[in-house]
C-alpha cells in the first residue's frame, strides 16, 4: 500500500500554470527583456561587421588564421541572430511541449 501511495503522490498535479497579471510590473519586465533583445541584435550586427572585416583582412594579407577566425565569427554571429529571432517561437514551442508531459 505504501508504494501505491508514493506513486500516486509523484503523479500529483500541483495545478501551476503561467498566468498574466499575477505580479505587478509584468509590462515593465516585458519591456526590459525586449530592450535587451534589441541591444543583443545591434551587438550581433556589429560582431558580424567586425568578423567580415577580419575575414577580408585575413584573406587579403594571406593570414589564414585571421581568415578562419573571421569566418568563425561570421558563423557565430549568424547563429546568434537566428537564436535571437527565434527566441519567442522556441520558448513557446517547448513550453507547449512541456504541457503535454503527463
Amino acid at each position: 500500500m505504501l508504494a501505491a501511495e508514493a506513486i500516486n503522490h509523484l503523479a500529483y498535479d500541483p495545478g501551476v500554470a503561467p498566468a498574466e497579471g499575477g505580479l505587478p510590473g509584468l509590462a515593465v519586465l516585458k519591456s526590459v527583456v525586449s530592450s535587451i533583445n534589441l541591444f543583443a541584435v545591434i551587438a550581433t550586427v556589429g560582431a558580424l561587421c567586425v568578423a567580415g572585416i577580419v575575414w577580408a583582412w585575413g584573406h587579403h594579407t594571406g593570414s589564414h588564421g585571421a581568415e578562419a577566425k573571421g569566418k568563425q565569427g561570421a558563423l557565430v554571429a549568424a547563429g546568434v541572430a537566428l537564436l535571437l529571432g527565434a527566441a519567442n517561437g522556441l520558448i513557446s514551442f517547448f513550453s507547449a511541449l512541456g504541457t503535454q508531459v503527463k
Side-chain angles (χ1 to χ4, degrees), residues 3-53:
E5 288 178 14
I7 291 173
N8 192 20
H9 181 69
L10 287 174
Y12 175 73
D13 180 16
V16 177
E20 286 194 35
L23 291 173
L26 185 61
V28 173
L29 183 61
K30 285 181 180 181
S31 176
V32 168
V33 171
S34 295
S35 296
I36 291 171
N37 193 354
L38 175 64
F39 281 119
V41 168
I42 292 169
T44 302
V45 170
L48 183 61
C49 291
V50 170
I53 291 168

Side-chain angles (χ1 to χ4, degrees), residues 50-60 63 66-72 74-75:
V50 170
I53 291 168
V54 170
W55 187 352
W57 177 76
H59 177 75
H60 289 295
S63 176
E67 185 178 4
K69 289 298 181 183
K71 288 178 187 179
Q72 181 182 9
L75 287 175

